[in-house]
């Protein structure tokens, strides 16, 4: 069934066996806007969402989003700083001009666009299936899932998607992703369908004990899993948004995006 394909997936390159997503149209040629006289740019982040933004071993903020922001500034030859704040205060701080750009994982939504300008997405969080390596289960196609137990986190978009499209599967909801991951590791469920970013972190960490791997996907249906994340600026900063869109495309073309992606995603959510 077409709905079980990786809907909306941008073309992916392979580097060191890690799938690197591409969210940029190669036919679109963006122009660098004039940034003469631009003030130093203040990025606002939260430091508690690895691997996108978190505190490094030295206490300084780092992560994929943070280092991508720094790379944009270097590519544009502009001065930038990074300020850490609580996630739930970031957008209000931006509106109050306490910073210039939110570089945290704020989902792109219609309500966000009504209030702010957002670059094109530089990252999306796909849904993925995970399975035990030793079970030799078939790829999670519709027929293969019939009668199989699929774990989901209750009340999430992943559960809603599974109810809509994984007909024939036996869904088992869990209150938290960690509990669902433990059930998969223990062999209590056949498949786990969940947040691909959370699963990637788990698969690459000690808690999984190397039990499991991705299967099928990724799934990027925007109605369920969102439009992704971008850099957020105020509505009167159109020139800045255009500059960041230009820089992001150039960083992809020049390989810097892939370099950073490989640093922070040894197991790719894609």
């Amino acid at each position: 069934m077409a709905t079980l394909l990786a809907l909306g997936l941008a073309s992916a390159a392979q580097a060191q066996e890690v799938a690197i997503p591409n969210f940029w149209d190669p036919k679109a040629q963006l122009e660098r806007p004039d940034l003469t006289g631009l003030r130093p740019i203040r990025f606002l982040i939260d430091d508690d969402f690895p691997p996108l933004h978190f505190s490094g071993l030295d206490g300084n903020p780092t992560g994929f989003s943070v280092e991508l922001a720094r790379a944009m500034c270097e590519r544009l030859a502009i001065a930038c700083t990074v300020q850490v704040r609580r996630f739930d205060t970031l957008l209000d701080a931006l509106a109050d001009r306490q910073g210039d750009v939110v570089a945290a994982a704020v989902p792109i939504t219609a309500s966000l666009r009504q209030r702010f300008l957002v670059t094109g997405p530089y990252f999306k969080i796909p849904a993925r299936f995970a399975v035990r390596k030793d079970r030799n289960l078939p790829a999670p196609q519709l027929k293969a899932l019939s009668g199989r137990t699929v774990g989901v986190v209750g009340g999430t978009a992943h559960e809603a998607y599974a109810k809509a499209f994984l007909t024939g599967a036996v869904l088992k909801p869990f209150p938290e992703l960690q509990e669902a991951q433990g059930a998969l590791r223990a062999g209590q469920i056949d498949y786990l369908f969940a947040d691909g970013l959370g699963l990637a972190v788990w698969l690459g960490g000690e808690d999984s004990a190397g039990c499991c791997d991705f299967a099928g996907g990724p799934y990027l249906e925007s109605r369920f899993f969102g439009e992704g994340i971008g850099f957020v600026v105020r509505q009167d900063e159109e020139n800045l948004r255009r500059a960041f869109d230009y820089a992001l495309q150039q960083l992809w073309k020049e390989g810097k995006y892939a370099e950073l992606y490989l640093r922070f995603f040894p197991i790719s959510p894609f």
Side-chain angles (χ1 to χ4, degrees):
M1 180 178 289
T3 52
L4 287 181
L5 296 177
L7 296 176
L9 177 63
S11 61
Q14 291 289 334
Q16 300 179 12
E17 299 182 353
V18 176
I20 302 173
N22 175 15
F23 305 113
W24 294 274
D25 181 357
K27 297 179 181 179
Q29 299 298 321
L30 303 181
E31 294 185 3
R32 185 187 192 279
D34 183 7
L35 299 176
T36 303
L38 184 69
R39 67 193 181 284
I41 300 302
R42 301 164 296 169
F43 284 88
L44 301 174
I45 68 155
D46 155 271
D47 63 355
D48 193 28
F49 192 55
L52 291 176
H53 36 90
F54 59 96
S55 291
L57 295 177
D58 59 0
N60 292 318
T62 188
F64 180 66
S65 296
V66 178
E67 300 307 327
L68 192 60
R70 289 174 171 147
M72 288 195 308
C73 293
E74 182 177 352
R75 184 63 178 76
L76 294 169
I78 58 178
C80 297
T81 62
V82 177
Q83 302 176 16
V84 178
R85 296 176 182 264
R86 254 192 9 253
F87 185 82
D88 61 348
T89 68
L90 292 174
L91 293 179
D92 286 341
L94 178 63
D96 291 341
R97 298 184 178 274
Q98 297 173 30
D100 304 301
V101 190
V102 169
V106 177
I108 299 174
T109 62
S111 60
L112 181 69
R113 292 185 188 279
Q114 288 176 354
R115 190 179 178 193
F116 300 100
L117 297 177
V118 191
T119 66
Y122 64 85
F123 189 72
K124 295 183 179 182
I125 302 178
R128 294 296 304 267
F129 280 97
V131 296
R132 281 192 60 89
K133 294 178 180 178
D134 60 2
R135 295 287 289 273
N136 295 317
L137 291 173
Q141 302 296 330
L142 190 59
K143 290 182 179 180
L145 292 173
S146 181
R148 302 282 190 181
T149 302
V150 177
V152 292
V153 179
T156 62
H158 308 91
E159 182 184 38
Y161 184 92
K163 287 181 176 179
F165 299 118
L166 306 186
T167 56
V170 180
L171 300 184
K172 183 175 177 56
F174 293 87
E176 302 289 343
L177 180 58
Q178 186 175 5
E179 187 174 339
Q181 290 166 340
L184 181 65
R185 176 179 171 180
Q188 298 168 358
I189 55 178
D190 297 313
Y191 298 86
L192 173 56
F193 184 65
D195 174 334
L197 179 58
L199 287 176
V201 172
W202 176 65
L203 292 173
E206 295 180 358
D207 288 347
S208 71
C211 70
C212 307
D213 204 351
F214 282 131
Y219 300 84
L220 288 160
E221 172 55 60
S222 60
R223 289 186 301 129
F224 289 88
F225 309 123
E227 299 179 45
I229 59 176
F231 293 101
V232 185
V233 301
R234 288 182 296 276
Q235 289 190 343
D236 59 354
E237 296 280 13
E238 169 64 19
N239 203 47
L240 193 58
R241 183 198 63 77
R242 290 176 52 236
F244 290 156
D245 272 328
Y246 166 81
L248 286 168
Q249 186 182 58
Q250 297 307 306
L251 292 174
W252 165 259
K253 290 180 178 180
E254 295 162 4
K256 184 65 176 182
Y257 181 95
E259 174 190 325
L260 294 174
Y261 193 88
L262 291 169
R263 183 193 306 179
F264 291 102
F265 297 98
I267 294 180
S268 173
F270 290 85

